[in-house]
Amino acid sequence: MVMLEADKVFAGSIPENYDRHMVPLIFEPYAADIARRAASLRPGAVLEIAAGTGVVTRALAPKLTADASYVVTDLNQPMLDYAASRQAPDSRITWRQADAMALPFENSSFDLVFCQFGAMFFPDRISAYREAKRVLKRGGHFLFNVWDRIEENIFADDVTNALARIFPNDPPRFLARTPHGYHDVDRIRGDLEAAGFSEIVIETRAEQSRASSPRLPAVAYCQGTLLRTEIEAREAGKLEAATDHAAAVIEARHGTGEVAAKIQAHIILATAYPA
């Protein structure tokens, strides 16, 4: 499944909607998990790739030592600006727009490079992993997570199936194509090995996605992700109707009040040693 160029452009109202809706729905549990794992490695120099609206940054910064340095990057300046606006002033943190494919840092600069749910968006993952390895010190760690297949992530699957009924001739497949399109653990391990990493550990972790109403997941996915762009490209003015339909499908399956459903991801830790 090929990622489209438009799958990487988070701008306009998407950063705010993403942070307001998507972050509490699916990202916060894994942010707490990856921040705990990152802090346990006791890194002195940290690089975050594809920070998005900064949910992990907010979780990890309090856990780092007072003398740590923490460089937070994202490809999309609007996302990075929003993340910085949400973060308390912290002299250890440097904000920098950066492309994971061409990191603007010297070799062997960091003890830890990590990325929450960004690897799925890399146009060439092996090249991006090589870049992560290049900027890591000997024995440094590369920590990241990716979503498991869409069928293991119930609300995302519900929304995708709902939209396929509205647009049967050209169903919007962003969620399956990109966020949930890089889930094969053998492929992930092979890509890391091809980039020169070793001691690769992959753990699959299920969590619960919770919302106070069925409409919240519908709004989160339809209006807080690039699915919005796909819906609007199919038919102008159809965004609210599509959101309403997705909400109705979630309500029919999960109930009218607070709703909860499974989400699942892979967490990967790899070690950088010279070739």
Side-chain angles (χ1 to χ4, degrees):
M1 192 174 290
V2 178
M3 182 180 69
L4 304 180
E5 189 64 26
D7 289 355
K8 298 182 290 182
V9 184
F10 287 74
S13 62
I14 288 177
E16 183 177 356
N17 282 332
Y18 179 97
D19 197 65
R20 180 186 302 166
H21 301 301
M22 291 302 297
V23 165
L25 185 70
I26 61 173
F27 291 119
E28 282 181 347
Y30 289 102
D33 174 72
I34 205 168
R36 175 184 58 78
R37 293 170 192 259
S40 73
L41 297 169
R42 302 186 182 281
V46 180
L47 171 62
E48 182 175 0
I49 296 172
T53 56
V55 60
V56 184
T57 316
R58 295 190 290 274
L60 178 57
K63 299 179 184 297
L64 295 175
T65 60
D67 59 349
S69 64
Y70 187 1
V71 181
V72 182
T73 71
D74 196 89
L75 177 64
N76 292 280
Q77 189 67 46
M79 294 288 265
L80 198 63
D81 291 343
Y82 192 89
S85 77
R86 291 289 315 276
Q87 187 72 37
D90 190 329
S91 61
R92 300 170 302 169
I93 298 177
T94 302
W95 304 91
R96 184 159 181 182
Q97 190 276 339
D99 186 344
M101 308 301 299
L103 293 171
F105 306 109
E106 298 294 324
N107 295 353
S108 305
S109 297
F110 299 97
D111 304 303
L112 171 67
V113 174
F114 81 93
C115 179
Q116 162 134 302
F117 298 119
M120 309 89 69
F121 295 91
F122 297 161
D124 181 338
R125 296 183 189 95
I126 294 174
S127 294
Y129 297 163
R130 286 194 183 113
E131 272 293 272
K133 183 174 183 289
R134 179 184 65 78
V135 302
L136 277 168
K137 299 175 185 177
R138 176 186 174 89
H141 293 96
F142 181 33
L143 173 66
F144 66 102
N145 51 19
V146 296
W147 293 114
D148 201 350
R149 64 195 190 107
I150 197 167
E151 293 82 1
E152 301 290 349
N153 290 268
I154 305 305
F155 289 146
D157 199 37
D158 290 342
V159 169
T160 298
N161 293 333
L163 294 178
R165 291 195 284 275
I166 298 180
F167 304 102
N169 297 325
D170 189 13
R173 296 285 295 168
F174 166 72
L175 295 176
R177 181 179 63 247
T178 300
H180 297 280
Y182 186 57
H183 56 76
D184 185 313
V185 294
D186 291 333
R187 180 184 176 192
I188 295 166
R189 185 182 299 276
D191 287 350
L192 285 164
E193 289 172 346
F197 281 99
S198 56
E199 295 182 11
I200 299 159
V201 179
I202 302 177
E203 177 186 333
T204 302
R205 182 182 181 95
E207 294 279 1
Q208 284 286 298
S209 177
R210 301 180 186 279
S212 58
S213 75
R215 184 167 178 80
L216 283 180
V219 171
Y221 283 108
C222 292
Q223 301 185 23
T225 76
L226 297 183
L227 195 55
R228 174 180 189 143
T229 306
E230 287 199 336
I231 294 167
E232 292 176 328
R234 299 296 185 279
E235 186 175 337
K238 200 67 176 283
L239 180 63
E240 282 303 320
T243 305
D244 290 344
H245 181 65
V249 167
I250 293 171
E251 179 177 319
R253 184 172 181 187
H254 301 280
T256 58
E258 184 174 338
V259 292
K262 177 186 176 185
I263 46 177
Q264 187 159 291
H266 305 305
I267 300 97
I268 303 100
L269 181 66
T271 305
Y273 290 114

